[in-house]
């Protein structure tokens, strides 16, 4: 394949993995934003105050319980039928549920069925996201040459930061169009970002249908076929990827998860909880448009440092890059809320931007790291399991713990929560091997793969 064709293929890989990941995270983050700003008043008004916010964030958390199940189920199919087909399924599930949330009647219309349906849709979203992340990262890393795998793997990681900006911008535009008071925004304005995603999902489908399966997976599938013909024991074990993953690399699943719990704690503080805190009675009491506007900027900062983190990991290694970012995150936890509690819009923006800037240096290399930790035959399953376990420990509990901590011990205790999770992650990172120089397969050892791009 010519150099021009190789570059064209890699551009399509970058678009397919980044745009698809961004759309998945957009769907996921707008729920977090709505859980902070809308759902306590719309779906749990009878509870009132802190209880309604707690219930709202609990619906955010149930998706994290579903994530590991989605990771195992879609990891199995991703390792069996391919990365591309599995990613199309997860995109379909996520997009459908997001639109349905935007169309969901309130308790005033259908009573208790409204929050029940909200939770069910959230669970399906969790299943989809649990299977999405690993496939998007593998799509990029398994196409990439080894020397640039960190940078390539950071592109799908940018999906989260860019989605944060996009979600904040969508809610900001909607809020400004309807005014800063509740009124029409609570009646129907909050639904617009959810329904709007139906247009964005089409972009993701187009990008993924245009891309072929990764060369690494195709090579492994061909070898598996030969093993089956020969009747080998290895072929039999490959029938259930999660079995071989748990039998052979369960330590990598746990250590990889521990290394990222601090990152997930920071991620969900930045993208979900701080929106509620800054606009609420216990925080600075800033206007909704001001907070959302700062979210747009912070997301762009996050995206820039995510790329920088991926590129840096190609130079000094995944382990050293993530360790440096995690140490900085632990220190940040001690000063984050004193900065935000200065009370001005600019102080909040500084605190949020600092958080996202530091997170990029752990978030960017995380995808390449987890891809390189696991063997090809169960890489989708293993990377997804480790990632989703970290999401449960560091992400699902953070908004819920933060709400309880604020009520009992004040905002400084939330910063200590971030520091505590980051210290745990420092231990996990120190236990990790350096994976930068590992070869995913001979297809990506030194040169970009010569893969043709076509539709299914």
């Amino acid at each position: 394949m010519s150099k021009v064709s190789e570059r064209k293929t890699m551009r399509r890989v970058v678009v397919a993995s980044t745009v698809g990941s961004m759309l998945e995270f957009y769907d996921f983050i707008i729920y977090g934003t709505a859980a902070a700003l809308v759902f306590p008043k719309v779906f749990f008004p009878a509870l009132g105050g802190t209880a309604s916010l707690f219930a709202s964030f609990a619906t955010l958390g149930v998706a994290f319980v579903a994530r590991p199940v989605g990771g195992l189920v879609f990891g199995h199919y991703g390792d069996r039928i391919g990365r591309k087909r599995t990613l199309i399924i997860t995109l379909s599930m996520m997009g459908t549920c997001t639109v349905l949330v935007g169309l969901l009647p309130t308790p005033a219309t259908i009573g208790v069925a409204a929050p029940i349906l909200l939770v069910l849709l959230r669970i399906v979203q969790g299943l989809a996201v649990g299977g999405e992340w690993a496939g998007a990262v593998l799509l990029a890393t398994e196409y990439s040459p080894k020397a640039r795998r960190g940078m390539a793997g950071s592109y799908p990681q940018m999906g989260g930061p860019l989605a944060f900006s996009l979600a904040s911008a969508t809610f900001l535009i909607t809020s400004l169009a309807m005014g800063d008071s509740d009124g029409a925004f609570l009646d129907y304005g909050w639904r617009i970002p959810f329904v709007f995603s139906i247009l964005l999902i089409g972009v993701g489908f187009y990008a993924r249908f245009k891309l072929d399966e990764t060369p690494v997976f195709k090579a492994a599938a061909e070898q598996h076929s030969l093993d089956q013909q020969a009747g080998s024991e290895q072929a039999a074990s490959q029938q259930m990827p999660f079995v071989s993953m748990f039998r052979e690399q369960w330590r990598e699943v746990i250590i990889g998860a521990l290394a990222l719990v601090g990152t997930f704690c920071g991620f969900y503080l930045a993208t979900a909880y701080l929106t509620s805190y800054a606009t609420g009675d216990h925080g600075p009491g800033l206007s909704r448009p001001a907070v959302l506007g700062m979210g747009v900027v912070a997301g762009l900062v996050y995206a820039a440092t995510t790329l920088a983190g991926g590129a840096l990991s190609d130079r000094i290694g995944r382990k050293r890059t993530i360790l440096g970012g995690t140490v900085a995150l632990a220190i940040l936890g001690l000063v984050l809320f004193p900065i935000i509690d200065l009370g001005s819009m600019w102080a909040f923006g500084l605190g949020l931007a600092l958080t996202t800037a530091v997170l990029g240096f752990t978030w960017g290399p995380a995808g390449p790291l987890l891809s390189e930790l696991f063997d090809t035959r169960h890489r989708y399953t293993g990377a997804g399991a480790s990632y989703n376990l970290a999401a449960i420990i560091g992400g699902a509990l953070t908004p819920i713990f933060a709400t309880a901590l604020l009520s009992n011990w004040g905002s400084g205790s939330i910063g200590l929560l971030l520091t505590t999770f980051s210290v745990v992650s420092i231990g996990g990172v120190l236990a990790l091997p350096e994976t930068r120089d590992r070869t995913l397969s001979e297809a990506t050892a030194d040169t970009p793969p010569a893969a043709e791009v076509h539709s299914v």
Side-chain angles (χ1 to χ4, degrees):
M1 176 182 284
S2 68
K3 294 290 185 181
V4 174
S5 297
E6 290 174 356
R7 286 195 295 269
K8 184 178 180 181
T9 297
M10 286 306 301
R11 280 197 300 268
R12 290 184 177 180
V13 169
V14 168
V15 171
S17 59
T18 305
V19 173
S21 178
M22 181 184 71
L23 296 178
E24 295 278 357
F25 274 103
Y26 168 82
D27 291 343
F28 208 73
I29 289 174
I30 59 173
Y31 190 99
T33 305
L37 298 177
V38 177
F39 292 165
K41 300 175 182 178
V42 172
F43 286 98
F44 305 100
L47 298 178
T50 300
S52 65
L53 183 62
F54 186 90
S56 180
F57 278 131
T59 68
L60 180 68
V62 296
F64 289 94
V65 178
R67 286 178 73 152
V69 179
L72 290 177
V73 171
F74 291 113
H76 171 81
Y77 287 107
D79 284 324
R80 289 290 308 280
I81 67 174
R83 299 13 176 161
K84 172 184 171 177
R85 294 179 183 177
T86 304
L87 285 172
I88 290 172
I89 295 171
T90 59
L91 192 66
S92 302
M93 290 174 58
M94 189 69 172
T96 301
C97 288
T98 301
V99 173
L100 289 177
V101 169
L103 300 175
L104 188 64
T106 65
T109 304
I110 61 172
V112 72
I116 292 174
L117 288 172
L118 183 67
V119 170
L120 292 176
L121 290 171
R122 190 62 183 153
I123 290 172
V124 178
Q125 283 184 319
L127 292 171
V129 169
E132 161 68 21
W133 177 86
V137 169
L138 296 190
L139 195 65
T141 57
E142 290 186 345
Y143 262 104
S144 175
K146 182 169 66 176
R148 295 192 296 274
R149 198 185 298 144
M151 174 64 84
S154 68
Y155 283 119
Q157 291 294 86
M158 282 209 314
L162 291 176
F164 182 34
S165 281
L166 182 60
S168 297
T170 307
F171 273 105
L172 175 60
I173 293 170
T174 303
S175 183
L176 288 175
M178 299 180 175
D180 192 31
S181 60
D182 287 346
F185 183 76
L186 290 181
D187 287 339
Y188 64 89
W190 67 270
R191 299 178 182 274
I192 295 174
F194 287 88
V195 178
F196 172 73
S197 68
I198 196 170
L199 301 177
L200 303 179
I201 296 301
V203 178
F205 276 130
Y206 177 80
R208 290 180 175 179
F209 270 115
K210 282 288 185 180
L211 197 65
D212 196 9
E213 186 54 77
T214 72
V216 173
F217 176 81
K218 288 195 292 186
E222 290 172 2
Q223 182 60 51
H224 174 56
S225 179
L226 294 174
D227 290 341
Q228 280 186 315
Q229 294 175 13
S232 71
E233 293 183 2
Q234 184 180 17
S237 69
Q238 288 176 351
Q239 295 298 314
M240 300 293 284
F242 71 89
V243 173
S244 63
M245 181 269 293
F246 280 119
R247 185 176 64 242
E248 300 172 17
Q249 294 197 282
W250 62 269
R251 294 177 182 84
E252 284 83 350
V253 172
I254 295 174
I255 294 172
L258 292 177
L260 296 178
V261 294
T263 297
F264 272 99
C265 178
F267 180 89
Y268 286 99
L269 277 179
T271 62
Y273 181 76
L274 289 182
T275 300
S276 172
Y277 177 75
T279 58
D281 295 335
H282 295 287
L286 301 175
S287 69
R288 187 166 57 225
V291 171
L292 293 171
M294 289 300 175
V296 175
V297 176
L300 296 177
V301 172
Y302 194 178
T305 58
T306 294
L307 276 183
L312 183 63
S313 75
D314 281 331
R315 296 176 62 86
I316 68 173
R318 321 292 185 228
K319 182 173 180 175
R320 292 170 65 184
T321 304
I322 295 176
L323 180 61
T326 306
V327 170
L329 203 58
I331 297 171
L332 178 65
L334 303 177
V335 300
L336 175 60
F337 281 88
I339 292 174
I340 293 176
D341 287 343
L342 291 174
S344 71
M345 177 182 70
W346 299 110
F348 171 76
L350 175 61
L352 184 61
L354 283 173
T355 305
T356 55
V358 171
L359 281 171
F361 288 95
T362 62
W363 188 249
L369 169 74
L370 293 184
S371 298
E372 293 160 348
L373 272 178
F374 296 96
D375 293 337
T376 301
R377 66 184 183 278
H378 51 236
R379 182 172 294 132
Y380 200 130
T381 304
S386 190
Y387 175 87
N388 288 310
L389 179 58
I392 290 176
I393 299 172
L397 300 179
T398 292
I400 297 174
F401 281 173
T403 302
L405 288 171
L406 181 64
S407 298
N408 292 282
W409 290 287
S411 61
S413 62
I414 304 174
L416 289 176
L417 177 68
L418 175 58
T419 298
T420 301
F421 274 123
S422 298
V423 169
V424 172
S425 284
I426 290 171
V429 174
L430 291 174
L432 284 170
E434 177 53 61
T435 61
R436 176 184 55 171
D437 295 323
R438 290 186 176 181
T439 299
L440 298 184
S441 78
E442 292 183 1
T444 58
D446 300 302
T447 59
E452 296 294 337
V453 178
H454 58 78
S455 299
V456 174

